[in-house]
Amino acid sequence: KRHCERHQGKMGRVIRGQRKGKGSVFKSVTTHRKGPAKIRGLDYAERQGYIKGLVKKVMHDPGRGAPLAEVVFRNPYKYGLDKELFVAVEGVYTGQYVYCGKAAQLAVGNVMPIGKMPEGTTISSIEEKSGDRGKLAKASGTYAIIVGHSEDGKKTRLRLPSGNRKTVMSTCRAIVGIVAGGGRIDKPVLKAGNNYHKFKVKRNCWPRVRGVAMNPVEHPHGGGNHQHVGHPTTVARHAPSGQKVGLIAARRTGLIRGGLKQAKPAKEQ
């Protein structure tokens, strides 16, 4: 009986994090979006040679910081045109020809396997697995850098926008160049109305009420005569969903002090 009472004392309302999983008012707003931004599907033309496309227009996509480029290709197997939506890179313009494939040249806007690019190339819309049509470095102003290739030429090491390094297969493709729309976050928001319009076309996640500002029935951080959490904010990975707020499965907490030390080059004798 005592065990039951203890648990009944902790019961409360279904918290915001649980409600988000259900959808309803928390669904993303996709009405005016132009479509999923992907590079061409991998086919014989790209595996063996190259295929030429024409940039028809560069356009804004609601809810996305980066512009999209509509690229038209001739269908290699039947009469007709194929329209693709690429994430536009800096320097792409309407009327430009872009080339996709193994034999394409290293030029801004072209799509080619990262194994064919030299070290130090800046790339975007990178495939994580060969043929998945681009997953990494797609946000505005982002890019990855090719750090090196393996000796057998099967794997390539990348430095991602986060600073992390990742090894992917050299057959994975990417667009040469930096994603357009960079410097977007340099402009100050200035007023709440700008944030209102920004998130209106993304999803219902703004404004965000702090947990300590709520009542104890609505949030584990709520309640108390002063706004304070009252217990550690770290929470276990397998905690019940009504309890999972704060720093979930944190390996460490606090400020990250110092930076990554760069190895100094050896002095020439």
Side-chain angles (χ1 to χ4, degrees), residues 126 143-147 157-166:
I126 309 148
Y143 62 93
I145 295 175
I146 295 177
V147 176
R157 192 92 167 139
L158 305 174
R159 194 174 85 222
L160 299 178
S162 62
N164 291 348
R165 287 163 190 253
K166 186 177 178 69

Short mmCIF file of all heavy atoms in Angstrom, two decimals, residues 126 143-147 157-166:
data_model
loop_
_atom_site.label_atom_id
_atom_site.label_comp_id
_atom_site.label_asym_id
_atom_site.label_seq_id
_atom_site.Cartn_x
_atom_site.Cartn_y
_atom_site.Cartn_z
N ILE A 126 25.94 15.28 -48.77
CA ILE A 126 26.76 14.07 -48.89
C ILE A 126 25.93 12.84 -48.56
O ILE A 126 25.12 12.85 -47.62
CB ILE A 126 27.98 14.16 -47.93
CG1 ILE A 126 28.71 15.48 -48.13
CG2 ILE A 126 28.93 13.00 -48.13
CD1 ILE A 126 29.34 16.01 -46.89
N TYR A 143 29.07 22.97 -44.84
CA TYR A 143 29.87 22.19 -45.78
C TYR A 143 30.71 21.20 -45.00
O TYR A 143 30.91 21.34 -43.78
CB TYR A 143 30.78 23.09 -46.63
CG TYR A 143 31.79 23.88 -45.83
CD1 TYR A 143 33.08 23.37 -45.61
CD2 TYR A 143 31.47 25.11 -45.27
CE1 TYR A 143 34.01 24.09 -44.88
CE2 TYR A 143 32.39 25.83 -44.53
CZ TYR A 143 33.66 25.31 -44.34
OH TYR A 143 34.59 26.01 -43.60
N ALA A 144 31.18 20.17 -45.68
CA ALA A 144 32.12 19.23 -45.09
C ALA A 144 33.41 19.29 -45.91
O ALA A 144 33.41 19.74 -47.06
CB ALA A 144 31.55 17.82 -45.10
N ILE A 145 34.48 18.86 -45.31
CA ILE A 145 35.78 18.88 -45.99
C ILE A 145 36.31 17.45 -46.06
O ILE A 145 36.23 16.70 -45.08
CB ILE A 145 36.79 19.79 -45.25
CG1 ILE A 145 36.32 21.24 -45.30
CG2 ILE A 145 38.19 19.67 -45.83
CD1 ILE A 145 37.17 22.20 -44.51
N ILE A 146 36.85 17.07 -47.22
CA ILE A 146 37.47 15.75 -47.38
C ILE A 146 38.84 15.80 -46.71
O ILE A 146 39.71 16.59 -47.10
CB ILE A 146 37.58 15.37 -48.85
CG1 ILE A 146 36.19 15.19 -49.45
CG2 ILE A 146 38.40 14.08 -49.02
CD1 ILE A 146 36.15 14.89 -50.92
N VAL A 147 39.00 14.97 -45.67
CA VAL A 147 40.26 14.96 -44.91
C VAL A 147 41.28 14.03 -45.57
O VAL A 147 42.46 14.36 -45.67
CB VAL A 147 39.99 14.53 -43.45
CG1 VAL A 147 41.29 14.41 -42.67
CG2 VAL A 147 39.05 15.51 -42.77
N ARG A 157 37.57 9.85 -45.43
CA ARG A 157 37.38 10.49 -44.12
C ARG A 157 36.91 11.92 -44.35
O ARG A 157 37.51 12.67 -45.12
CB ARG A 157 38.72 10.49 -43.38
CG ARG A 157 38.61 10.86 -41.92
CD ARG A 157 38.44 9.64 -41.06
NE ARG A 157 38.63 9.95 -39.65
CZ ARG A 157 37.89 9.45 -38.69
NH1 ARG A 157 36.88 8.67 -38.99
NH2 ARG A 157 38.11 9.73 -37.43
N LEU A 158 35.83 12.31 -43.66
CA LEU A 158 35.25 13.64 -43.80
C LEU A 158 35.31 14.38 -42.48
O LEU A 158 35.25 13.77 -41.42
CB LEU A 158 33.79 13.56 -44.24
CG LEU A 158 33.45 12.78 -45.50
CD1 LEU A 158 31.94 12.70 -45.65
CD2 LEU A 158 34.06 13.45 -46.72
N ARG A 159 35.38 15.72 -42.56
CA ARG A 159 35.15 16.54 -41.37
C ARG A 159 33.80 17.22 -41.56
O ARG A 159 33.62 18.03 -42.47
CB ARG A 159 36.26 17.58 -41.18
CG ARG A 159 36.17 18.20 -39.78
CD ARG A 159 37.31 19.12 -39.45
NE ARG A 159 37.01 20.47 -39.96
CZ ARG A 159 37.88 21.24 -40.57
NH1 ARG A 159 39.10 20.81 -40.79
NH2 ARG A 159 37.55 22.44 -40.99
N LEU A 160 32.86 16.90 -40.70
CA LEU A 160 31.49 17.38 -40.83
C LEU A 160 31.36 18.80 -40.28
O LEU A 160 32.26 19.29 -39.59
CB LEU A 160 30.54 16.43 -40.08
CG LEU A 160 30.52 14.99 -40.59
CD1 LEU A 160 29.60 14.15 -39.74
CD2 LEU A 160 30.10 14.91 -42.04
N PRO A 161 30.24 19.50 -40.55
CA PRO A 161 30.06 20.87 -40.04
C PRO A 161 30.17 20.97 -38.52
O PRO A 161 30.56 22.00 -37.99
CB PRO A 161 28.65 21.24 -40.51
CG PRO A 161 28.40 20.37 -41.69
CD PRO A 161 29.14 19.10 -41.45
N SER A 162 29.84 19.89 -37.80
CA SER A 162 29.92 19.90 -36.34
C SER A 162 31.36 19.85 -35.85
O SER A 162 31.63 20.10 -34.68
CB SER A 162 29.16 18.71 -35.77
OG SER A 162 29.75 17.50 -36.21
N GLY A 163 32.29 19.49 -36.74
CA GLY A 163 33.69 19.30 -36.34
C GLY A 163 34.02 17.84 -36.15
O GLY A 163 35.20 17.47 -36.07
N ASN A 164 32.99 16.98 -36.09
CA ASN A 164 33.24 15.55 -35.96
C ASN A 164 33.79 14.99 -37.26
O ASN A 164 33.55 15.54 -38.34
CB ASN A 164 31.95 14.79 -35.61
CG ASN A 164 31.49 15.10 -34.20
OD1 ASN A 164 32.22 15.69 -33.42
ND2 ASN A 164 30.27 14.70 -33.89
N ARG A 165 34.49 13.89 -37.15
CA ARG A 165 35.02 13.24 -38.34
C ARG A 165 34.27 11.94 -38.58
O ARG A 165 33.90 11.26 -37.62
CB ARG A 165 36.53 12.98 -38.17
CG ARG A 165 37.29 14.28 -38.28
CD ARG A 165 38.68 14.24 -37.75
NE ARG A 165 39.21 15.60 -37.70
CZ ARG A 165 40.12 16.08 -38.53
NH1 ARG A 165 40.61 15.33 -39.50
NH2 ARG A 165 40.55 17.32 -38.42
N LYS A 166 34.07 11.63 -39.83
CA LYS A 166 33.26 10.46 -40.17
C LYS A 166 33.88 9.76 -41.37
O LYS A 166 34.35 10.43 -42.31
CB LYS A 166 31.83 10.90 -40.50
CG LYS A 166 30.86 9.77 -40.74
CD LYS A 166 29.47 10.31 -40.99
CE LYS A 166 28.47 9.20 -41.27
NZ LYS A 166 28.18 8.38 -40.09
#
